[in-house]
Amino acid sequence: MPLHVFTGPRESGKTRRLRARQAELQAQGIEATIITGNACTTTYLVDRIQQQAKAGARYFLADDCTRDQIKAVQSIELPEQFTVYLVRQA
């Protein structure tokens, strides 16, 4: 599973990069919703990623993820064709 984590200081363009990736996917006809990591628990985030992968989705996008959430995502096994984009909180 490819995992892309956007990091940087506050207002450095991390969310803008994630939204640009979302727009690229949508231009290809791929549904790509961005969820907000800090609005959910780590368990919920991991469960949501696993559910989407099992449902056949190819991409998962989340903004404002905590370090613990990112560590948890790094430890799960997902299909190789499933790509995750996460933005780490500043």
Side-chain angles (χ1 to χ4, degrees):
M1 157 202 70
L3 172 62
H4 303 275
V5 180
F6 301 133
T7 64
R10 193 176 300 276
E11 297 185 23
S12 63
K14 299 178 303 288
T15 298
R16 185 175 34 247
R17 289 174 55 198
L18 185 67
R19 288 183 183 150
R21 184 63 185 134
Q22 178 189 36
E24 291 169 5
L25 293 170
Q26 289 174 336
Q28 298 171 32
I30 299 169
E31 180 63 32
T33 303
I34 296 175
I35 71 158
T36 304
N38 67 355
C40 59
T41 66
T42 298
T43 302
Y44 177 81
L45 180 71
V46 169
D47 287 347
R48 180 106 182 251
I49 291 170
Q50 290 174 322
Q51 289 170 358
Q52 286 197 6
K54 287 179 185 174
R58 295 189 53 221
Y59 300 94
F60 186 88
L61 290 75
D63 194 14
D64 280 333
C65 296
T66 66
R67 289 176 192 247
D68 289 338
Q69 288 173 327
I70 293 169
K71 281 184 183 180
V73 172
Q74 290 172 326
S75 69
I76 59 178
E77 296 208 20
L78 294 167
E80 195 59 36
Q81 70 276 8
F82 188 74
T83 303
V84 178
Y85 294 91
L86 304 177
V87 172
R88 193 179 82 199
Q89 287 179 330

